[in-house]
Amino acid sequence: MGLAIDKPDLTRQSDVDLVRLCLGGDKSAFAELVRRHGNLLRTHIRRMGAQGADADDMAQEAFMSAYEHLSEFRFDGAFVGWLKRIASRRYLKKARANQKYLLTDDMSPFEPEPAANEGEFRAHNLDAALNRLKPVERLCVTLNFSGDLSHQEIADELKLPLGTVKSHIKRAMDQLKTILNAKSAPALETGT
């Protein structure tokens, strides 16, 4: 009779421990990472501008890429941050290849889809507020706050001047404060 080895309860493991288990060959550890961070990753991609099924596909592609390159995770930051960077870059790659997603620095007036009661519109959540921004502003602010990219990293990824990226983020933050009626909410600070 062989000795039975108990597997650790994966739901109680940290992301770092799960990555280490996965690097040791435990595929169920990566399945736990997917379960744990799947919704967050899809939300991040949708906030950048991807629509429904595209966001789901991009999240799945990001997880597959993360799995294939797991040995490159340096353990110097949060796993979910590393995962969001992979997803952000996959989104940008797809956006550049497919004109379905707008990445231009178009300064013409942007008219979001009208709300049911346009005169009384007030967003009750961040996603609704983000949908009111110009696509490039939405992308810059999402990459900065959710994707944890610096202004310079965003400029490099989008091939835009640094000052333009900073302007997009500033305008987006001002609009989000207005849309969300931020007078009663804590002040939002822009990242660097």
Side-chain angles (χ1 to χ4, degrees), residues 56-148:
D56 295 341
D57 291 346
M58 285 183 232
Q60 184 175 3
E61 291 169 12
F63 276 117
M64 290 184 329
S65 180
Y67 184 78
E68 291 168 1
H69 297 95
L70 199 56
S71 63
E72 296 171 22
F73 179 64
R74 294 186 303 249
F75 298 94
D76 60 353
F79 174 77
V80 71
W82 183 71
L83 191 58
K84 282 182 178 181
R85 284 177 180 260
I86 291 170
S88 296
R89 288 190 171 102
R90 293 199 72 78
Y91 172 82
L92 292 171
K93 182 179 178 183
K94 189 167 214 157
R96 285 185 194 106
N98 182 348
Q99 292 303 312
K100 183 176 179 179
Y101 297 109
L102 180 66
L103 285 180
T104 64
D105 189 24
D106 182 5
M107 297 305 288
S108 63
F110 172 69
E111 295 296 328
E113 292 185 24
N117 297 321
E118 186 63 38
E120 300 176 22
F121 178 81
R122 185 170 144 212
H124 294 285
N125 65 52
L126 181 59
D127 294 323
L130 284 168
N131 285 332
R132 308 284 296 171
L133 301 177
K134 287 184 178 183
V136 70
E137 292 169 348
R138 175 183 177 159
L139 182 59
C140 287
V141 79
T142 302
L143 287 171
N144 187 226
F145 288 96
S146 180
D148 201 29

Side-chain angles (χ1 to χ4, degrees), residues 150-156 159-169:
S150 70
H151 292 168
Q152 185 62 59
E153 290 169 322
I154 296 167
D156 293 345
K159 310 231 181 318
L160 293 173
L162 178 60
T164 300
V165 168
K166 289 181 178 185
S167 295
H168 285 318
I169 292 171

Side-chain angles (χ1 to χ4, degrees), residues 39-60:
N39 287 337
L40 179 71
L41 194 60
R42 282 188 295 280
T43 298
H44 170 68
I45 294 168
R46 283 187 183 111
R47 285 181 175 163
M48 284 190 293
Q51 305 300 311
D54 286 345
D56 295 341
D57 291 346
M58 285 183 232
Q60 184 175 3

